[in-house]
Amino acid sequence: MTRTIVAILALAAANAAAQCNPLETREANAPDQKPAFQGQTRGCGVKSDVAYEVVVVAKGLDKPWAVEPLPGGDLLVTEKGGQMRIVTSTGNVGQPITGVPPVDAKGQGGLLDVALSPSFASDRTIFWSFTEPRQGGNATSVARGMLSADRTRLEQVLVIFRALPVYNNGLHFGSRLAFGADGMLYVTLGDRSDKPMRPQAQQLDSHMGKTLRIKPEGGAAEGNPFAGQGEALPEIWSVGHRNIQSSAFDSQGRYWVIEHGTQGGDELNLVERGKNYGWPGVAYGEEYSGQPLPGTVTARPGTEQPVYYWDPVIAPSGAQFYTGDAFPAWKGSLFVGALREKRLVRLVIQNGKVTGEEHLLADRGQRIRDVRQGPDGALYIVTDDKAGELWRLVPKAR
Ligand SMILES: [Ca+2]
Ligand SMILES: [Ca+2]
């Protein structure tokens, strides 16, 4: 290679580095911590320059937690307090659907996620997660039921999963639901936050701080990694998570979760069977008090590094890999709602790494709780508020 070519290559590399302008420019909460690889945090800001408009489909929803587009274009919405409703595509907010079992709505608890059966069009079956009042406290449960033909009630309601142990607070219940291409239901859980509970994220005899893989009719799915090992609970798919309120499968069938970290430690993880994602011994960030996490390191052999992390945190909610035709520039992007940062985050992911981050909807100043793609290719969003809104993102008419 001639010196000229070497010089040109060096200049090109320098230009590429110079063009990487992370969106996050505030001081980190844990500035002494170093990422495990380049681009693991403060990735390059990107601009898709997509012209879109926000249609406010409905207002006045009471702390909506999940939105699930129905095949015909209407939307199924959960409200944290325990109501499930259908909002029509034209914005008519229906009465609460009857037949939803009681929830414990204190703190972060309540009626949480909802997912459609993969064959919803023929079986009208839905699945939802909720904080179930239990003897001595509460815990996350998953139920299924069939939406009546007139869509006013749930029939044949059955609780198909009950997380253990029961604990008495209002924190860290998970619990996003997503169906894999294998037809199994993947459930995310939290660690219940309190220091004495955190070690359970590493314990196989507890559901706390895990992802789970269950059969739609209930019971652990076949082939789970720890089934049959001593006291291990057979539903467990991965371990070592703090509080996952966000999950999505990509077009290659890979399972991604975004979890709430402590101050300075929100993580995007690519979840694989039986792997350990570190919490509470391995994590980025610090306690909300500003103290270091006790005995915690940022990397350890035998634990998986997050694909990406945010310091300061965004407080991630629902997620969606975009596959629609309405926004060609967004195909393959991972959208994540941000509660604390009040925006919609778009991540560009290439070869298993985050190569770009874009922030949308920050101008609206609302905590975003869930984002889903509709059959029309629009993105549907609910905001986390006592007067929550349901938005439809559509291409801007030119
Ligand atoms: Ca959902
Ligand atoms: Ca982790």
Side-chain angles (χ1 to χ4, degrees):
M1 227 183 306
T2 69
R3 275 190 199 161
T4 314
I5 292 172
V6 171
I8 289 169
L9 287 175
L11 192 63
N15 279 343
Q19 282 163 13
C20 180
N21 297 313
L23 299 177
E24 185 57 79
T25 56
R26 294 170 295 178
E27 188 183 354
N29 290 125
D32 296 337
Q33 294 176 351
K34 293 285 169 273
F37 52 87
Q38 196 180 6
Q40 192 185 22
T41 190
R42 299 185 181 229
C44 303
V46 290
K47 275 204 172 72
S48 53
D49 285 326
V50 166
Y52 61 85
E53 58 189 315
V54 179
V55 178
V56 179
V57 179
K59 291 181 172 182
L61 299 166
D62 185 6
K63 284 259 173 189
W65 211 91
V67 55
E68 203 61 36
L70 294 165
D74 295 341
L75 296 309
L76 189 57
V77 173
T78 62
E79 294 171 316
K80 200 178 91 65
Q83 304 79 38
M84 200 181 294
R85 303 176 191 270
I86 289 174
V87 179
T88 66
S89 59
T90 52
N92 181 36
V93 178
Q95 290 299 305
I97 296 168
T98 61
V100 180
V103 303
D104 186 348
K106 74 166 170 264
Q108 297 167 356
L111 179 59
L112 303 175
D113 201 20
V114 62
L116 306 187
S117 157
S119 44
F120 176 83
S122 56
D123 64 21
R124 295 202 313 274
T125 297
I126 65 171
F127 297 78
W128 66 95
S129 61
F130 63 110
T131 306
E132 188 176 34
R134 308 259 193 98
Q135 187 74 40
N138 55 38
T140 303
S141 296
V142 178
R144 59 175 285 162
M146 198 175 80
L147 195 59
S148 62
D150 66 0
R151 309 196 303 184
T152 63
R153 63 189 188 279
L154 287 165
E155 298 170 340
Q156 301 169 40
V157 171
L158 189 65
V159 176
I160 58 168
F161 170 75
R162 289 191 161 92
L164 291 171
V166 171
Y167 189 67
N168 192 16
N169 72 6
L171 295 168
H172 293 197
F173 298 102
S175 52
R176 280 296 162 190
L177 306 178
F179 276 95
D182 58 3
M184 297 297 121
L185 181 59
Y186 291 73
V187 183
T188 67
L189 289 184
D191 70 349
R192 305 307 303 269
S193 181
D194 294 347
K195 278 183 184 169
M197 288 297 284
R198 293 180 189 175
Q200 291 196 20
Q202 291 290 324
Q203 294 170 11
L204 293 176
D205 60 353
S206 166
H207 289 122
M208 303 299 104
K210 310 294 189 313
T211 70
L212 312 170
R213 179 171 166 266
I214 63 177
K215 292 189 275 199
E217 63 269 32
E222 303 295 329
N224 280 352
F226 305 108
Q229 292 181 22
E231 301 292 302
L233 295 170
E235 298 90 355
I236 296 172
W237 183 247
S238 67
V239 310
H241 303 281
R242 184 169 176 272
N243 187 29
I244 314 172
Q245 294 188 332
S246 190
S247 73
F249 281 89
D250 68 15
S251 59
Q252 300 172 51
R254 297 182 299 183
Y255 182 48
W256 300 77
V257 303
I258 306 105
E259 56 189 281
H260 291 277
T262 49
Q263 185 160 279
D266 285 353
E267 299 184 347
L268 168 67
N269 283 300
L270 176 54
V271 171
E272 294 181 339
R273 180 183 184 274
K275 291 196 170 168
N276 183 349
Y277 292 82
W279 181 255
V282 185
Y284 292 91
E286 61 182 11
E287 296 281 4
Y288 275 95
S289 65
Q291 295 296 306
L293 293 164
T296 299
V297 295
T298 60
R300 184 180 291 161
T303 65
E304 304 304 308
Q305 278 292 312
V307 170
Y308 197 67
Y309 70 88
W310 288 268
D311 178 3
V313 297
I314 58 167
S317 56
Q320 170 79 56
F321 276 96
Y322 188 73
T323 59
D325 294 323
F327 299 106
W330 289 347
K331 259 193 196 185
S333 291
L334 175 61
F335 286 91
V336 186
L339 294 163
R340 178 191 165 118
E341 287 302 303
K342 299 181 178 173
R343 61 196 63 192
L344 183 66
V345 174
R346 183 177 75 92
L347 296 178
V348 181
I349 297 176
Q350 291 170 322
N351 300 319
K353 295 279 190 293
V354 172
T355 58
E357 178 170 355
E358 181 173 26
H359 292 175
L360 306 165
L361 303 175
D363 55 311
R364 301 184 82 89
Q366 295 243 33
R367 290 164 58 85
I368 292 182
R369 177 55 86 180
D370 198 14
V371 52
R372 299 288 287 148
Q373 180 183 317
D376 52 356
L379 285 175
Y380 290 87
I381 286 166
V382 284
T383 64
D384 178 52
D385 197 271
K386 285 293 288 177
E389 299 183 353
L390 168 58
W391 300 341
R392 177 193 292 128
L393 255 67
V394 294
K396 194 178 182 77
R398 290 181 189 269

